[in-house]
Amino acid sequence: MNIAFFLLPKKEVICLHAESTIRQAMEKMEYHRYTAVPVIDEKGHYIKTITEGDLLWKIKNTEGLSFQNSEHHYIKDIMVNRDYQPVHIDAEMEDLMSLVAVQNFVPVVDDNEVFIGIIRRMDIIHYLSK
């Protein structure tokens, strides 16, 4: 089976840009009720996935950083605790399954490493349960 069957396209995915601020990230994640969001650069390449935990650790470990001044700190400067590995759109299901076992979603990139969407673990589970 082609993994594209499970693809949620980029236009339907909430993303952050590397130049987004911590405050923008927190507000977007709160509004959409997400705990993790893909981060892309200005050319649309997938960079990393930022989680609530990454944001909390950054705030805890950065002296003087608070929600009130978080608009002066950028997502690109945050180290992530866990690396959400992407797959290429032509990847095999076996590659996808090993990642979906440990990630809530798997970022998908094209041949130029441009982010094109995600595959959600819940969609795979739902499909397999039928």
Side-chain angles (χ1 to χ4, degrees):
M1 170 175 275
N2 188 325
I3 68 166
F5 175 78
F6 299 104
L7 183 70
L8 182 64
K10 179 181 177 179
K11 67 180 181 179
E12 297 178 32
V13 176
I14 302 306
C15 295
L16 292 168
H17 292 275
E19 297 297 325
S20 298
T21 67
I22 291 176
R23 184 177 189 133
Q24 289 170 325
M26 289 190 296
E27 289 175 346
K28 188 174 272 195
M29 291 170 81
E30 178 184 29
Y31 178 80
H32 293 283
R33 302 188 61 151
Y34 290 147
T35 59
V37 179
V39 178
I40 57 176
D41 67 14
E42 68 280 350
K43 294 181 180 178
H45 297 110
Y46 173 75
I47 298 174
K48 60 186 171 185
T49 293
I50 198 91
T51 68
E52 288 178 326
D54 298 326
L55 296 170
L56 290 171
W57 285 113
K58 176 68 174 175
I59 292 169
K60 178 189 177 291
N61 294 322
T62 304
E63 188 173 331
L65 176 57
S66 66
F67 180 73
Q68 289 73 25
N69 66 10
S70 62
E71 69 271 5
H72 302 295
H73 298 267
Y74 299 92
I75 295 302
K76 67 181 178 182
D77 301 324
I78 295 180
M79 299 298 294
V80 294
N81 185 40
R82 190 171 64 171
D83 189 19
Y84 276 60
Q85 291 293 312
V87 294
H88 284 87
I89 191 62
D90 58 356
E92 299 293 325
M93 281 299 288
E94 294 79 28
D95 301 324
L96 178 64
M97 295 305 283
S98 64
L99 292 173
V100 88
V102 296
Q103 299 175 190
N104 289 335
F105 63 85
V106 178
V108 181
V109 296
D110 66 12
D111 291 338
N112 296 317
E113 304 299 320
V114 172
F115 177 77
I116 59 172
I118 63 171
I119 296 175
R120 298 178 293 193
R121 177 171 36 197
M122 70 177 188
D123 293 337
I124 300 285
I125 292 170
H126 182 69
Y127 175 80
L128 293 174
S129 70
K130 289 184 177 181

